[in-house]
Amino acid sequence: LKISLYPNPAHEELNILIENPKSELSVTIISVTGKIIFSKNYINFSGTLNEKISFNDQFGGVCFVIINDGQIIKTEKIIISF
């Protein structure tokens, strides 16, 4: 998996770009306290995933983006600021 998260720090939106994911993929963003900020499953997916996530002032601080394709789990740290 090739993953790009931008901008980091994110302000109101975060772009997630994932190249060559498996057919099933999950993306979860959690705060350092464990609160789920975003969660989405992609089924029968092919190609490149380009997801734009809006935060709508619901959270600010350090978060972790967890990407799971069923075989590989990758975790990336991001900062959300308003």
Side-chain angles (χ1 to χ4, degrees), residues 33-44:
T33 62
K35 179 181 176 185
I36 296 175
I37 307 300
F38 174 88
S39 183
K40 188 170 182 180
N41 293 317
Y42 303 88
I43 307 295
N44 296 324

Side-chain angles (χ1 to χ4, degrees), residues 28-31 35-39 53 55 58-59 63 80:
T28 306
I29 301 175
I30 62 169
S31 70
K35 179 181 176 185
I36 296 175
I37 307 300
F38 174 88
S39 183
I53 301 167
F55 295 110
Q58 63 179 320
F59 180 81
C63 292
I80 302 170

Side-chain angles (χ1 to χ4, degrees), residues 32-73:
V32 292
T33 62
K35 179 181 176 185
I36 296 175
I37 307 300
F38 174 88
S39 183
K40 188 170 182 180
N41 293 317
Y42 303 88
I43 307 295
N44 296 324
F45 186 83
S46 64
T48 299
L49 173 68
N50 192 357
E51 181 79 42
K52 183 180 284 190
I53 301 167
S54 296
F55 295 110
N56 301 323
D57 298 332
Q58 63 179 320
F59 180 81
V62 175
C63 292
F64 296 96
V65 179
I66 302 166
I67 298 166
N68 183 347
D69 74 355
Q71 295 178 346
I72 298 172
I73 299 172

